[in-house]
Amino acid sequence: MKKIITLIFAFACMFSYKAMAIDSQKAEDFVKKVTTQGIEQIINSDVSAEEKDARFEKLFNEYLDLDYIGKFVLGRYWKTAKTTQRDAFIKVYREFNIKTWSKRFDEFKGKSFDFHGTAPSNSEGQIFVNTTVDMGEGAPAKVVWRVKDGDQLKIVDIIIENVSLAITARNEYTAYIKKAPNGLDDLIKDLKEKSK
Amino acid sequence: MKKSLFLIPILFCATACTTNPNGTKMKISEEETKLEVYNRAMFNFNYQVDKMVLKPVAKGYKAITTQGIRNRVTNFFNNLEEPAYAINNLLQGEVSDSGKSLVRFGINSTLGLLGTFDVASGWGLEKKKNSFDATMALYCTPDGPFIVMPIIGPSTPRYLIGWGVDAMADPLYWTLWDKQDEDWGVGVSYGATALKYINKRAESIALLDSLEEGSVDFYATIKTAFLQNRQKFQSLCAKKNNETEQQVSYDFDFDDEDE
C-alpha cells in the first residue's frame, strides 16, 4: 500500500513538474517571432503612423500579458483596490503602454536581435530569454525577455541593460499612489491624460 | 528565498535606501524619510537647472553638430577613460584586460587621431570597460544609500568615490595638473569638462525625454532605474570570495509589501 501511495505521489510530482516547466526552445522561438514581427512588420515598414500604431496595438495585445503586469505594478495597492478601480487601471495602463512603446520601439529601427539562450526563473512556468541588440555605438545592448506560459506564451517583462520595465513601473506607481491625495484614482486619471 | 536575495543589497545600503531595486520596500525610518525629502528636492533643483541651462545648450550644440562630429567627441572622451580601465582591470586581477586597455589607449591616441576614431576595436581589441566603483564592489565595499548630488545627479557614496578616483586617472587631468596657474590651462580644463557633459547630454536628449514622457513620477523612475542598473555589481564580492554567486533576481513577488 505504501509503495502504491509513493508511486502515485511520484507520478503526481512528475506531472506537476511538467506542467510548471517551460520549453526553452519554444520560448526563444516565441521571442524571435515577436521581435521579427515588431521590427519587420512595424518599425521598418513603410506605412502611415496610424497603421503603425494599429499594428503595434495588435502585437502588444497578442503577445504581452498586460493583465498580469498591471496586477504586479500596482504592488500592495492591487489587493486593496475595488474591482472598478482594477478594471479602470488595467484599461488605461494598456492604452498608456501602447502609446509610449510604439514611440520607443522606433529606436530599434533597422536593428536585429541576437539570441543567447535562456535562463531559468524562480516563478512557475516562466523563463528568461537572453538577447543582445547592436545599437551602432559601443557594446551591444542587453535585452532580456521574461516569458510566461499559460494558455499561450506571453511576455511579462523586458529587462533592458539590467533595468526591468515592470519593476521600474511598480516602484514608480507605488511611490506615486503613496504621495497622491486620491491615491490610485489620481494615478488612473494621470495615466489617462498621458494616453491622450 | 527571494526575499533573502533582496536583503543583500539592502544590507549594503546601510540605512537609507527606502526602496530596493526589486520593488520591495523596507520599514522607513525618520532618517530615511529625511533623505528621501532631500533627494526629491535636489532632484527637482537639478531638473530645473537642466531645463533652463543644460538641455537648451545641448539642443543648440546638437543643432550645430552632425552625428559624426558627436561620435568623434564621444570617442575622444571615452579614450581618455582607458587608463582608468587599465588600472581597475589590474586591481581586479584581470591582467590581460588591463594590457588590452593600455594597448587600446596607445593605438587610438595615435592612429585613432587622439582617440576620435576607435581603430583598436576594428583590430579585434574590444573595450574592457571597468571602474573603481566595480573594484570597490569586488572588495566588498558597501554601496551606501541612494543620494542625489547637486548637478552630478543620482549617486551613492561608493559611486561618487569611484567617479572621483577614475577622474584622477584621466590623462587630461595630469596634462593640465601644473597648468592651473595659467589662464589657458584653466580654460582648457573647464572647456573640456563642459564639452564632455554637453555632448553626453545631447546624446541622451531623446532617451530622457521618452523616459519622462512615459513617467508619472520621474524621480521614482530615475531612482529605481539607477539602482537596478547597479545590481550588476552585486555579485562581484561573492564571486571573489568563491561563495555562491548572488544572481540578480528579476522575478516578480506579488506578496512583497511596500511597507
Side-chain angles (χ1 to χ4, degrees):
Chain A
M1 186 60 190
K2 256 188 178 178
K3 276 186 179 172
I4 294 169
I5 294 171
T6 315
L7 263 174
I8 293 168
F9 184 70
F11 272 114
C13 285
M14 272 174 68
F15 280 114
S16 62
Y17 174 74
K18 273 205 151 184
M20 283 194 299
I22 174 166
D23 188 285
S24 51
Q25 191 56 51
K26 214 172 108 187
E28 197 172 313
D29 291 344
F30 167 71
V31 177
K32 266 183 196 158
K33 188 169 91 177
V34 178
T35 51
T36 310
Q37 269 191 31
I39 291 174
E40 286 176 9
Q41 295 172 19
I42 304 175
I43 302 168
N44 292 350
S45 67
D46 193 17
V47 291
S48 68
E50 290 77 23
E51 177 59 24
K52 262 190 189 181
D53 284 353
R55 285 186 190 182
F56 196 81
E57 188 173 347
K58 191 171 171 279
L59 184 94
F60 226 79
N61 287 332
E62 209 171 326
Y63 299 129
L64 260 86
D65 194 342
L66 275 174
D67 291 347
Y68 183 84
I69 305 167
K71 187 180 163 188
F72 172 75
V73 299
L74 273 196
R76 67 190 176 94
Y77 297 103
W78 179 263
K79 288 179 193 163
T80 52
K82 294 177 204 144
T83 314
T84 47
Q85 284 178 311
R86 287 179 178 183
D87 293 344
F89 174 74
I90 294 290
K91 185 177 178 285
V92 77
Y93 183 63
R94 182 181 297 278
E95 286 164 6
F96 178 68
N97 270 287
I98 289 166
K99 187 172 181 276
T100 49
W101 279 98
S102 59
K103 272 189 194 170
R104 270 188 208 175
F105 261 71
D106 265 350
E107 281 175 39
F108 295 114
K109 193 168 185 153
K111 310 279 191 291
S112 63
F113 286 87
D114 292 322
F115 285 77
H116 307 285
T118 58
S121 158
N122 288 330
S123 304
E124 203 178 297
Q126 296 186 15
I127 200 164
F128 294 102
V129 176
N130 299 315
T131 67
T132 53
V133 57
D134 190 351
M135 300 303 282
E137 281 291 309
K142 263 197 317 182
V143 182
V144 180
W145 308 76
R146 189 156 164 238
V147 177
K148 175 176 161 280
D149 200 3
D151 297 336
Q152 61 178 107
L153 293 178
K154 293 253 182 179
I155 290 162
V156 289
D157 195 12
I158 307 172
I159 301 148
I160 304 172
E161 285 292 317
N162 305 312
V163 180
S164 149
L165 299 177
I167 292 168
T168 303
R170 179 182 169 115
N171 286 344
E172 187 193 353
Y173 292 170
T174 50
Y176 179 99
I177 294 169
K178 204 171 166 188
K179 278 197 305 141
N182 299 310
L184 179 55
D185 288 332
D186 282 348
L187 176 67
I188 294 168
K189 203 174 142 196
D190 213 349
L191 287 176
K192 220 176 248 175
E193 276 299 310
K194 282 185 171 269
S195 306
K196 279 179 187 166
Chain B
M1 177 60 189
K2 266 179 273 171
K3 279 193 176 164
S4 66
L5 292 183
F6 298 155
L7 274 176
I8 287 169
I10 295 165
L11 289 174
F12 281 169
C13 273
T15 54
C17 293
T18 54
T19 312
N20 89 25
N22 297 304
T24 55
K25 285 193 177 180
M26 296 158 290
K27 285 195 173 164
I28 300 166
S29 70
E30 203 180 319
E31 290 77 26
E32 289 161 358
T33 312
K34 278 182 192 164
L35 186 63
E36 189 69 3
V37 170
Y38 157 79
N39 279 340
R40 277 195 182 270
M42 188 49 73
F43 183 84
N44 288 337
F45 170 76
N46 285 346
Y47 180 82
Q48 291 304 326
V49 171
D50 180 67
K51 194 176 157 189
M52 308 283 188
V53 186
L54 193 53
K55 195 176 167 186
V57 172
K59 274 185 165 176
Y61 166 79
K62 207 172 175 180
I64 56 162
T65 53
T66 61
Q67 185 61 54
I69 293 173
R70 291 195 295 277
N71 288 348
R72 300 287 77 76
V73 174
T74 304
N75 282 354
F76 172 77
F77 287 110
N78 283 350
N79 184 53
L80 294 175
E81 289 174 3
E82 293 283 356
Y85 302 161
I87 293 167
N88 286 298
N89 278 322
L90 194 64
L91 288 173
Q92 292 176 33
E94 305 291 344
V95 181
S96 159
D97 288 353
S98 175
K100 275 182 194 166
S101 299
L102 278 182
V103 174
R104 275 179 57 84
F105 181 66
I107 293 173
N108 287 341
S109 301
T110 50
L111 298 173
L113 307 175
L114 295 176
T116 52
F117 290 89
D118 187 358
V119 182
S121 282
W123 292 358
L125 279 166
E126 289 302 322
K127 192 184 282 181
K128 297 291 173 188
K129 213 169 172 176
N130 220 324
S131 64
F132 194 64
D133 187 7
T135 302
M136 285 189 288
L138 183 79
Y139 291 98
C140 307
T141 311
D143 200 10
F146 174 77
I147 184 160
V148 181
M149 297 300 290
I151 312 295
I152 296 168
S155 57
T156 64
R158 197 183 69 206
Y159 170 88
L160 276 176
I161 294 168
W163 184 68
V165 171
D166 287 339
M168 283 195 280
D170 187 330
L172 204 59
Y173 174 81
W174 289 107
T175 311
L176 298 170
W177 175 253
D178 54 354
K179 310 284 186 300
Q180 294 301 316
D181 295 335
E182 296 172 44
D183 286 348
W184 71 266
V186 176
V188 170
S189 181
Y190 281 115
T193 308
L195 178 62
K196 181 177 177 175
Y197 289 102
I198 290 166
N199 188 66
K200 267 195 178 177
R201 184 66 185 96
E203 294 296 69
S204 64
I205 287 175
L207 175 74
L208 285 175
D209 280 357
S210 124
L211 265 182
E212 192 181 353
E213 201 181 311
S215 160
V216 287
D217 185 340
F218 197 34
Y219 164 78
T221 302
I222 295 292
K223 178 182 175 181
T224 184
F226 178 83
L227 290 177
Q228 281 184 71
N229 192 253
R230 292 185 65 71
Q231 286 186 106
K232 62 190 171 204
F233 298 126
Q234 197 175 302
S235 58
L236 294 174
C237 168
K239 203 173 163 185
K240 182 180 164 282
N241 295 333
N242 294 321
E243 290 163 9
T244 312
E245 201 174 325
Q246 198 65 62
Q247 292 295 336
V248 174
S249 171
Y250 290 99
D251 281 309
F252 292 175
D253 190 344
F254 284 91
D255 295 325
D256 279 334
E257 291 298 328
D258 301 307
E259 290 180 84

